[in-house]
Amino acid sequence: MEGTSLYLPIVILLMQCSPSSPVTVTTNKYKVEVREFSDAVLSCMFRTERDQNPRIEWKKRGKDVSFVYFDGHFKGPFEGRATIEGATVTLQRVTQEDAGEYRCEISAPLDSVNLGETNVTLKVLVPPHTPSCEIPSGAVTGSVVKLHCRDHQSIPPATYSWYKDSQPISQPRHANATYVINSHTGILEFKSVAKEDTGRYSCLASNGVGPPKMCEGKHMTIEDVNVSAVVAAVVVVCLVIVICGCGGYLLHRNGFFSRHRGRSNVNYIPPPQESTDFKHTQSFML
């Protein structure tokens, strides 16, 4: 008994000094990626030291911090379209407005460390939409021509490929190619178009989330410059300039543009005559 009484204080001291396990919070997926209008699972797992009924809160971080789950209920836009099991939340039919950073907070007042948290980032993926395409209807040979293709809604951003007459246009393999394709900006640029570039062009947008989408094709015609017509037009313009110049010179030489020529005299006022007193030059006889 005496030996037992000697060891008892040591056992009690060891029990008091044994390390405790305060509240800890973790997740099995820190980044969640789901397609738009599908369900997103935001996992949150916790362990407490003594508190068996900790408080669970979910918040969404942005410009302002807003509550997702508080006091046993979902708040705001999550009310009626989210469920919770333990501390793991499932958001139903997520949209782009749901994308962002979420924080799971566990409060255990009875624990030595009474607060733990973990963050989960939600990214909502959007499949490609039909891209908008800008394709000129025509151009002249030797000119620089750019074709534009863009889908502003896909997440992640789409990449683009071009088609001519329903056949894919391959990426140029040498620096002397007459065209360049930027698959990220969607621009097909011809450095110097030729007649053989005439055709029906269309663009395909894809991002690996959903099926690719293609814009409606548009025909582009490349024509040669009519050199004869241009020369004839220049000659005609030069002749008109020469004739106008010669005519103006002759008119000026003949005094047509004289300062006093053609002035009207309708406003002419004769000079006043000197007034003379009426004088009798004869005597009238009665």
Side-chain angles (χ1 to χ4, degrees):
M1 292 294 294
E2 292 182 359
T4 303
S5 60
L6 291 175
Y7 286 107
L8 185 58
I10 299 175
V11 173
I12 294 175
L13 181 61
L14 290 174
M15 291 178 61
Q16 292 177 347
C17 295
S18 61
S20 60
S21 300
V23 59
T24 56
V25 183
T26 59
T27 181
N28 58 14
K29 202 168 187 180
Y30 291 96
K31 294 183 179 180
V32 178
E33 294 185 354
V34 296
R35 287 185 56 174
E36 191 176 27
F37 305 123
S38 61
D39 296 347
V41 178
L42 311 181
S43 69
C44 181
M45 299 164 291
F46 65 91
R47 183 179 59 189
T48 60
E49 178 185 2
R50 289 187 294 268
D51 201 326
Q52 300 300 315
N53 190 28
R55 185 178 66 187
I56 301 172
E57 294 180 3
W58 275 92
K59 298 176 182 178
K60 184 182 179 183
R61 301 178 62 184
K63 292 182 179 179
D64 299 314
V65 178
S66 58
F67 279 104
V68 177
Y69 181 83
F70 175 73
D71 197 21
H73 301 281
F74 286 97
K75 303 295 181 180
F78 301 98
E79 186 177 1
R81 67 178 190 92
T83 59
I84 189 167
E85 183 176 353
T88 296
V89 166
T90 300
L91 306 180
Q92 301 167 355
R93 293 186 59 80
V94 295
T95 64
Q96 278 303 302
E97 294 182 356
D98 298 324
E101 185 176 349
Y102 292 79
R103 183 171 63 208
C104 175
E105 296 182 357
I106 306 297
S107 300
L110 301 180
D111 287 13
S112 56
V113 178
N114 54 25
L115 179 65
E117 62 183 40
T118 189
N119 295 320
V120 180
T121 301
L122 172 62
K123 185 176 182 179
V124 179
L125 307 179
V126 180
H129 289 63
T130 301
S132 60
C133 296
E134 298 178 12
I135 303 169
S137 58
V140 296
T141 55
S143 60
V144 177
V145 178
K146 289 184 179 182
L147 282 64
H148 298 264
C149 178
R150 194 65 179 169
D151 172 18
H152 296 281
Q153 302 180 24
S154 59
I155 299 177
T159 56
Y160 306 94
S161 54
W162 281 92
Y163 289 74
K164 176 187 175 185
D165 298 328
S166 301
Q167 298 298 319
I169 302 176
S170 60
Q171 283 283 358
R173 298 181 179 180
H174 51 84
N176 295 327
T178 59
Y179 67 91
V180 176
I181 298 177
N182 191 320
S183 60
H184 299 288
T185 63
I187 296 178
L188 167 60
E189 179 180 357
F190 290 94
K191 300 177 182 179
S192 178
V193 290
K195 293 194 68 174
E196 54 266 25
D197 294 322
T198 294
R200 188 177 183 84
Y201 289 84
S202 55
C203 171
L204 184 71
S206 58
N207 69 348
V209 177
K213 293 294 182 66
M214 178 176 287
C215 68
E216 184 178 357
K218 186 176 180 181
H219 193 80
M220 182 176 70
T221 303
I222 309 300
E223 297 180 347
D224 289 328
V225 178
N226 193 335
V227 179
S228 300
V230 172
V231 172
V234 172
V235 171
V236 170
V237 171
C238 292
L239 288 175
V240 171
I241 293 174
V242 170
I243 292 172
C244 292
C246 292
Y249 173 75
L250 292 175
L251 291 174
H252 179 72
R253 185 175 181 181
N254 293 330
F256 184 79
F257 298 111
S258 176
R259 178 178 300 179
H260 301 290
R261 183 180 179 85
R263 281 191 174 182
S264 176
N265 294 325
V266 295
N267 295 325
Y268 174 75
I269 301 175
Q273 297 180 353
E274 294 183 359
S275 62
T276 57
D277 295 332
F278 178 77
K279 294 183 179 180
H280 293 284
T281 59
Q282 286 184 342
S283 297
F284 292 92
M285 297 297 293
L286 294 176

